[in-house]
Amino acid sequence: MKRAFAILNLAVAAALTLPGGVVFAQTRAEVLLGDLARPENEGWRRTERQLIEEWSKSGSAALDLLLKRGRDALAEGDYDKAIGHLTALTDHAPEFAEGYNLRASAYFRSGRYGPAVADLQRALELNPQNFVALAGIGAILEETGQKAKALQAYRAALAIHPRQDDVKKAAQRLDDALSGQKI
């Protein structure tokens, strides 16, 4: 995995190098994703938090306030209120992936799997590296009995962020179940 990222980084750097040696800088999220995947990164929890914070920046104070209100309502267990705030956010910022990702959590926790899946798909269209959304897809697929697809989603999440203990356990549980081993 480390070698694959090194090769990818070289390819990206080569592609982004202009004549004269000028190189476009990686975004902060790209750097954090690379750090998160490094096996020797003992500070991965901090990296994970920083990455999620980076993904949570909408570029607008008003939209950030809607995101915060949605998060707060979700933490309080008021899923309808969270969905309301996050719907306002996604209506005003349809290209902001974290609004969809968080609203999917509210839908999922309220038992509305269809809208949760739709929001997770949109979040992943906007941010394909969102390991939280991939794990969410896995959880819904597992909950609805689609074990093989759930395992694929969990593995995709782990390919981006290999230290997610809950996702590792879920993937192992499904791998054991699908291979016919007793759980």
PDB file of all heavy atoms in Angstrom, residues 4-6 9 13 24 26 38 42 56 64-65 69 89 106 115 123 138 146 148 154 161-162 168:
ATOM      1  N   ALA A   4       2.302   1.699  -3.349  1.00  0.00           N
ATOM      2  CA  ALA A   4       1.284   2.162  -4.293  1.00  0.00           C
ATOM      3  C   ALA A   4       1.066   3.667  -4.152  1.00  0.00           C
ATOM      4  O   ALA A   4       0.941   4.381  -5.152  1.00  0.00           O
ATOM      5  CB  ALA A   4      -0.024   1.411  -4.079  1.00  0.00           C
ATOM      6  N   PHE A   5       1.020   4.163  -2.906  1.00  0.00           N
ATOM      7  CA  PHE A   5       0.842   5.598  -2.698  1.00  0.00           C
ATOM      8  C   PHE A   5       2.054   6.375  -3.192  1.00  0.00           C
ATOM      9  O   PHE A   5       1.915   7.449  -3.754  1.00  0.00           O
ATOM     10  CB  PHE A   5       0.560   5.918  -1.224  1.00  0.00           C
ATOM     11  CG  PHE A   5      -0.889   5.899  -0.902  1.00  0.00           C
ATOM     12  CD1 PHE A   5      -1.482   4.751  -0.435  1.00  0.00           C
ATOM     13  CD2 PHE A   5      -1.678   7.021  -1.087  1.00  0.00           C
ATOM     14  CE1 PHE A   5      -2.841   4.721  -0.153  1.00  0.00           C
ATOM     15  CE2 PHE A   5      -3.031   6.996  -0.807  1.00  0.00           C
ATOM     16  CZ  PHE A   5      -3.608   5.838  -0.340  1.00  0.00           C
ATOM     17  N   ALA A   6       3.249   5.829  -2.989  1.00  0.00           N
ATOM     18  CA  ALA A   6       4.460   6.509  -3.464  1.00  0.00           C
ATOM     19  C   ALA A   6       4.434   6.618  -4.980  1.00  0.00           C
ATOM     20  O   ALA A   6       4.746   7.672  -5.546  1.00  0.00           O
ATOM     21  CB  ALA A   6       5.698   5.757  -2.993  1.00  0.00           C
ATOM     22  N   ASN A   9       1.802   9.163  -5.956  1.00  0.00           N
ATOM     23  CA  ASN A   9       2.271  10.527  -5.701  1.00  0.00           C
ATOM     24  C   ASN A   9       3.255  10.984  -6.765  1.00  0.00           C
ATOM     25  O   ASN A   9       3.223  12.133  -7.197  1.00  0.00           O
ATOM     26  CB  ASN A   9       2.889  10.637  -4.307  1.00  0.00           C
ATOM     27  CG  ASN A   9       1.850  10.668  -3.222  1.00  0.00           C
ATOM     28  OD1 ASN A   9       0.707  11.034  -3.469  1.00  0.00           O
ATOM     29  ND2 ASN A   9       2.232  10.287  -2.023  1.00  0.00           N
ATOM     30  N   ALA A  13       2.628  14.036  -9.226  1.00  0.00           N
ATOM     31  CA  ALA A  13       3.606  15.125  -9.285  1.00  0.00           C
ATOM     32  C   ALA A  13       4.090  15.333 -10.712  1.00  0.00           C
ATOM     33  O   ALA A  13       4.220  16.473 -11.176  1.00  0.00           O
ATOM     34  CB  ALA A  13       4.782  14.841  -8.361  1.00  0.00           C
ATOM     35  N   PHE A  24       2.104  22.110  -8.922  1.00  0.00           N
ATOM     36  CA  PHE A  24       0.920  22.492  -8.160  1.00  0.00           C
ATOM     37  C   PHE A  24       0.976  21.797  -6.804  1.00  0.00           C
ATOM     38  O   PHE A  24       1.351  20.635  -6.712  1.00  0.00           O
ATOM     39  CB  PHE A  24      -0.367  22.058  -8.879  1.00  0.00           C
ATOM     40  CG  PHE A  24      -0.659  22.853 -10.112  1.00  0.00           C
ATOM     41  CD1 PHE A  24      -0.471  22.304 -11.365  1.00  0.00           C
ATOM     42  CD2 PHE A  24      -1.123  24.151 -10.018  1.00  0.00           C
ATOM     43  CE1 PHE A  24      -0.740  23.036 -12.501  1.00  0.00           C
ATOM     44  CE2 PHE A  24      -1.396  24.891 -11.152  1.00  0.00           C
ATOM     45  CZ  PHE A  24      -1.202  24.328 -12.399  1.00  0.00           C
ATOM     46  N   GLN A  26      -0.395  19.903  -3.487  1.00  0.00           N
ATOM     47  CA  GLN A  26      -1.514  19.030  -3.140  1.00  0.00           C
ATOM     48  C   GLN A  26      -2.422  19.794  -2.184  1.00  0.00           C
ATOM     49  O   GLN A  26      -1.971  20.645  -1.426  1.00  0.00           O
ATOM     50  CB  GLN A  26      -1.023  17.775  -2.423  1.00  0.00           C
ATOM     51  CG  GLN A  26      -0.352  16.769  -3.285  1.00  0.00           C
ATOM     52  CD  GLN A  26       0.043  15.550  -2.456  1.00  0.00           C
ATOM     53  OE1 GLN A  26       0.746  15.670  -1.474  1.00  0.00           O
ATOM     54  NE2 GLN A  26      -0.430  14.391  -2.874  1.00  0.00           N
ATOM     55  N   ARG A  38      -0.514   5.830   5.723  1.00  0.00           N
ATOM     56  CA  ARG A  38       0.847   5.382   6.059  1.00  0.00           C
ATOM     57  C   ARG A  38       0.833   4.482   7.294  1.00  0.00           C
ATOM     58  O   ARG A  38       0.385   4.912   8.358  1.00  0.00           O
ATOM     59  CB  ARG A  38       1.763   6.572   6.320  1.00  0.00           C
ATOM     60  CG  ARG A  38       2.187   7.319   5.094  1.00  0.00           C
ATOM     61  CD  ARG A  38       3.317   8.334   5.342  1.00  0.00           C
ATOM     62  NE  ARG A  38       3.798   8.433   6.692  1.00  0.00           N
ATOM     63  CZ  ARG A  38       3.540   9.440   7.530  1.00  0.00           C
ATOM     64  NH1 ARG A  38       2.795  10.433   7.150  1.00  0.00           N
ATOM     65  NH2 ARG A  38       4.039   9.452   8.753  1.00  0.00           N
ATOM     66  N   GLU A  42       1.721   6.907  13.639  1.00  0.00           N
ATOM     67  CA  GLU A  42       1.171   6.616  14.966  1.00  0.00           C
ATOM     68  C   GLU A  42       0.185   7.684  15.422  1.00  0.00           C
ATOM     69  O   GLU A  42      -0.603   7.449  16.333  1.00  0.00           O
ATOM     70  CB  GLU A  42       2.305   6.432  15.971  1.00  0.00           C
ATOM     71  CG  GLU A  42       3.123   5.185  15.676  1.00  0.00           C
ATOM     72  CD  GLU A  42       4.206   4.935  16.700  1.00  0.00           C
ATOM     73  OE1 GLU A  42       4.084   5.426  17.840  1.00  0.00           O
ATOM     74  OE2 GLU A  42       5.164   4.232  16.346  1.00  0.00           O
ATOM     75  N   SER A  56     -15.082  19.265   6.383  1.00  0.00           N
ATOM     76  CA  SER A  56     -16.231  19.969   6.944  1.00  0.00           C
ATOM     77  C   SER A  56     -16.217  21.467   6.658  1.00  0.00           C
ATOM     78  O   SER A  56     -17.127  22.178   7.068  1.00  0.00           O
ATOM     79  CB  SER A  56     -16.294  19.738   8.458  1.00  0.00           C
ATOM     80  OG  SER A  56     -16.498  18.369   8.731  1.00  0.00           O
ATOM     81  N   ASP A  64     -21.443  26.681   7.354  1.00  0.00           N
ATOM     82  CA  ASP A  64     -20.784  25.985   8.468  1.00  0.00           C
ATOM     83  C   ASP A  64     -21.696  25.948   9.694  1.00  0.00           C
ATOM     84  O   ASP A  64     -21.710  24.961  10.437  1.00  0.00           O
ATOM     85  CB  ASP A  64     -19.457  26.654   8.813  1.00  0.00           C
ATOM     86  CG  ASP A  64     -18.384  26.417   7.768  1.00  0.00           C
ATOM     87  OD1 ASP A  64     -18.567  25.545   6.886  1.00  0.00           O
ATOM     88  OD2 ASP A  64     -17.347  27.111   7.824  1.00  0.00           O
ATOM     89  N   LEU A  65     -22.467  27.012   9.885  1.00  0.00           N
ATOM     90  CA  LEU A  65     -23.417  27.043  11.000  1.00  0.00           C
ATOM     91  C   LEU A  65     -24.514  25.995  10.802  1.00  0.00           C
ATOM     92  O   LEU A  65     -24.891  25.294  11.753  1.00  0.00           O
ATOM     93  CB  LEU A  65     -24.027  28.437  11.152  1.00  0.00           C
ATOM     94  CG  LEU A  65     -25.041  28.606  12.289  1.00  0.00           C
ATOM     95  CD1 LEU A  65     -24.394  28.307  13.640  1.00  0.00           C
ATOM     96  CD2 LEU A  65     -25.614  30.014  12.272  1.00  0.00           C
ATOM     97  N   ARG A  69     -25.243  22.973  13.365  1.00  0.00           N
ATOM     98  CA  ARG A  69     -26.581  22.722  13.925  1.00  0.00           C
ATOM     99  C   ARG A  69     -27.055  21.307  13.595  1.00  0.00           C
ATOM    100  O   ARG A  69     -27.671  20.643  14.426  1.00  0.00           O
ATOM    101  CB  ARG A  69     -27.575  23.748  13.403  1.00  0.00           C
ATOM    102  CG  ARG A  69     -27.374  25.115  14.010  1.00  0.00           C
ATOM    103  CD  ARG A  69     -28.364  26.119  13.491  1.00  0.00           C
ATOM    104  NE  ARG A  69     -28.185  27.399  14.156  1.00  0.00           N
ATOM    105  CZ  ARG A  69     -28.764  28.515  13.765  1.00  0.00           C
ATOM    106  NH1 ARG A  69     -29.579  28.521  12.714  1.00  0.00           N
ATOM    107  NH2 ARG A  69     -28.554  29.639  14.414  1.00  0.00           N
ATOM    108  N   LEU A  89     -28.728  22.894   4.198  1.00  0.00           N
ATOM    109  CA  LEU A  89     -27.328  22.961   3.789  1.00  0.00           C
ATOM    110  C   LEU A  89     -27.139  22.405   2.372  1.00  0.00           C
ATOM    111  O   LEU A  89     -26.518  23.048   1.521  1.00  0.00           O
ATOM    112  CB  LEU A  89     -26.452  22.189   4.779  1.00  0.00           C
ATOM    113  CG  LEU A  89     -24.978  22.034   4.424  1.00  0.00           C
ATOM    114  CD1 LEU A  89     -24.296  23.384   4.287  1.00  0.00           C
ATOM    115  CD2 LEU A  89     -24.276  21.184   5.478  1.00  0.00           C
ATOM    116  N   ALA A 106     -28.133  10.909   9.726  1.00  0.00           N
ATOM    117  CA  ALA A 106     -29.424  11.192  10.359  1.00  0.00           C
ATOM    118  C   ALA A 106     -30.518  10.299   9.778  1.00  0.00           C
ATOM    119  O   ALA A 106     -31.345   9.746  10.519  1.00  0.00           O
ATOM    120  CB  ALA A 106     -29.785  12.665  10.181  1.00  0.00           C
ATOM    121  N   PRO A 115     -33.221   7.018   1.662  1.00  0.00           N
ATOM    122  CA  PRO A 115     -32.605   8.344   1.575  1.00  0.00           C
ATOM    123  C   PRO A 115     -31.152   8.359   2.058  1.00  0.00           C
ATOM    124  O   PRO A 115     -30.330   9.105   1.529  1.00  0.00           O
ATOM    125  CB  PRO A 115     -33.483   9.223   2.472  1.00  0.00           C
ATOM    126  CG  PRO A 115     -34.775   8.506   2.581  1.00  0.00           C
ATOM    127  CD  PRO A 115     -34.450   7.045   2.461  1.00  0.00           C
ATOM    128  N   ALA A 123     -22.566  11.848  -1.663  1.00  0.00           N
ATOM    129  CA  ALA A 123     -21.343  12.224  -0.943  1.00  0.00           C
ATOM    130  C   ALA A 123     -20.120  11.598  -1.605  1.00  0.00           C
ATOM    131  O   ALA A 123     -19.079  12.251  -1.763  1.00  0.00           O
ATOM    132  CB  ALA A 123     -21.433  11.807   0.526  1.00  0.00           C
ATOM    133  N   GLY A 138     -21.531   0.298   3.635  1.00  0.00           N
ATOM    134  CA  GLY A 138     -21.338  -1.077   4.106  1.00  0.00           C
ATOM    135  C   GLY A 138     -22.312  -1.453   5.200  1.00  0.00           C
ATOM    136  O   GLY A 138     -22.897  -2.543   5.185  1.00  0.00           O
ATOM    137  N   GLN A 146     -27.246  -7.740   2.398  1.00  0.00           N
ATOM    138  CA  GLN A 146     -26.406  -7.803   1.200  1.00  0.00           C
ATOM    139  C   GLN A 146     -24.935  -7.912   1.612  1.00  0.00           C
ATOM    140  O   GLN A 146     -24.149  -6.984   1.444  1.00  0.00           O
ATOM    141  CB  GLN A 146     -26.666  -6.580   0.329  1.00  0.00           C
ATOM    142  CG  GLN A 146     -28.121  -6.480  -0.113  1.00  0.00           C
ATOM    143  CD  GLN A 146     -28.378  -5.222  -0.891  1.00  0.00           C
ATOM    144  OE1 GLN A 146     -27.810  -5.021  -1.957  1.00  0.00           O
ATOM    145  NE2 GLN A 146     -29.233  -4.358  -0.338  1.00  0.00           N
ATOM    146  N   ALA A 148     -22.174  -9.667   0.668  1.00  0.00           N
ATOM    147  CA  ALA A 148     -21.032  -9.580  -0.260  1.00  0.00           C
ATOM    148  C   ALA A 148     -20.764  -8.129  -0.662  1.00  0.00           C
ATOM    149  O   ALA A 148     -19.608  -7.685  -0.698  1.00  0.00           O
ATOM    150  CB  ALA A 148     -21.276 -10.446  -1.493  1.00  0.00           C
ATOM    151  N   TYR A 154     -16.870  -2.184   2.876  1.00  0.00           N
ATOM    152  CA  TYR A 154     -15.954  -2.116   4.021  1.00  0.00           C
ATOM    153  C   TYR A 154     -14.504  -2.176   3.560  1.00  0.00           C
ATOM    154  O   TYR A 154     -13.647  -1.445   4.059  1.00  0.00           O
ATOM    155  CB  TYR A 154     -16.230  -3.253   4.996  1.00  0.00           C
ATOM    156  CG  TYR A 154     -17.514  -3.124   5.789  1.00  0.00           C
ATOM    157  CD1 TYR A 154     -18.246  -4.251   6.130  1.00  0.00           C
ATOM    158  CD2 TYR A 154     -17.986  -1.887   6.228  1.00  0.00           C
ATOM    159  CE1 TYR A 154     -19.417  -4.163   6.877  1.00  0.00           C
ATOM    160  CE2 TYR A 154     -19.163  -1.787   6.969  1.00  0.00           C
ATOM    161  CZ  TYR A 154     -19.864  -2.924   7.289  1.00  0.00           C
ATOM    162  OH  TYR A 154     -21.016  -2.831   8.028  1.00  0.00           O
ATOM    163  N   HIS A 161      -8.526   4.095   4.711  1.00  0.00           N
ATOM    164  CA  HIS A 161      -8.198   4.301   6.130  1.00  0.00           C
ATOM    165  C   HIS A 161      -8.140   2.935   6.802  1.00  0.00           C
ATOM    166  O   HIS A 161      -9.144   2.426   7.296  1.00  0.00           O
ATOM    167  CB  HIS A 161      -9.258   5.182   6.765  1.00  0.00           C
ATOM    168  CG  HIS A 161      -9.047   5.505   8.218  1.00  0.00           C
ATOM    169  ND1 HIS A 161      -7.985   5.042   8.970  1.00  0.00           N
ATOM    170  CD2 HIS A 161      -9.773   6.269   9.060  1.00  0.00           C
ATOM    171  CE1 HIS A 161      -8.084   5.496  10.206  1.00  0.00           C
ATOM    172  NE2 HIS A 161      -9.166   6.243  10.290  1.00  0.00           N
ATOM    173  N   PRO A 162      -6.960   2.324   6.815  1.00  0.00           N
ATOM    174  CA  PRO A 162      -6.834   0.936   7.281  1.00  0.00           C
ATOM    175  C   PRO A 162      -6.959   0.716   8.787  1.00  0.00           C
ATOM    176  O   PRO A 162      -6.985  -0.432   9.222  1.00  0.00           O
ATOM    177  CB  PRO A 162      -5.435   0.538   6.792  1.00  0.00           C
ATOM    178  CG  PRO A 162      -4.708   1.810   6.588  1.00  0.00           C
ATOM    179  CD  PRO A 162      -5.731   2.850   6.262  1.00  0.00           C
ATOM    180  N   LYS A 168     -12.916  -2.907  10.384  1.00  0.00           N
ATOM    181  CA  LYS A 168     -12.119  -4.147  10.294  1.00  0.00           C
ATOM    182  C   LYS A 168     -12.896  -5.330  10.857  1.00  0.00           C
ATOM    183  O   LYS A 168     -12.940  -6.403  10.254  1.00  0.00           O
ATOM    184  CB  LYS A 168     -10.807  -4.009  11.065  1.00  0.00           C
ATOM    185  CG  LYS A 168      -9.722  -3.303  10.328  1.00  0.00           C
ATOM    186  CD  LYS A 168      -8.399  -3.528  11.033  1.00  0.00           C
ATOM    187  CE  LYS A 168      -7.888  -2.271  11.624  1.00  0.00           C
ATOM    188  NZ  LYS A 168      -6.589  -2.399  12.275  1.00  0.00           N
TER     189      LYS A 168
END
